[in-house]
Amino acid sequence: MRLSVIVPVRNGAAFIAALLDSLHAQNRAGLEGCEFIAVDDASTDDTPAILAGYPWLRTLRHETRRGAGAARNSGARAAGGEVLVFLDADTR
């Protein structure tokens, strides 16, 4: 069973790296085969640059703010997994 982990984020530069680092560590510890998708909902801070620093992360971007629900839906449409897992960007 393949998992798709989807993270909607807007202006999450202060906390998104902590979540991504945790996901990466868990992936190395046995979550192989998972795909990770971040959906940037038109951030105006350093979020896009931070997301770009994670080459294993697939990043989608909304050019205009559409809200968390729309970001989740964009991630779900792009996902290839059988099971979708949604995490908030400030999850620890």
Side-chain angles (χ1 to χ4, degrees):
M1 170 175 36
R2 185 163 183 224
L3 296 177
S4 295
V5 178
I6 301 163
V7 181
V9 59
R10 175 168 166 71
N11 292 339
F15 43 79
I16 189 68
L19 171 63
L20 296 176
D21 291 342
S22 176
L23 289 174
H24 187 63
Q26 292 176 56
N27 192 41
R28 286 191 318 251
L31 292 178
E32 296 171 14
C34 291
E35 75 174 329
F36 298 92
I37 301 170
V39 183
D40 178 9
D41 193 35
S43 291
T44 57
D45 65 359
D46 290 333
T47 297
I50 292 168
L51 296 176
Y54 293 86
W56 50 267
L57 178 69
R58 181 173 174 197
T59 301
L60 308 175
R61 178 165 168 83
H62 291 169
E63 293 301 322
T64 58
R65 186 175 184 183
R66 296 170 44 194
R72 285 183 187 92
N73 289 337
S74 292
R77 280 191 298 274
E82 299 168 59
V83 175
L84 306 181
V85 177
F86 296 93
L87 296 175
D88 290 330
D90 60 352
T91 300
R92 293 205 166 211

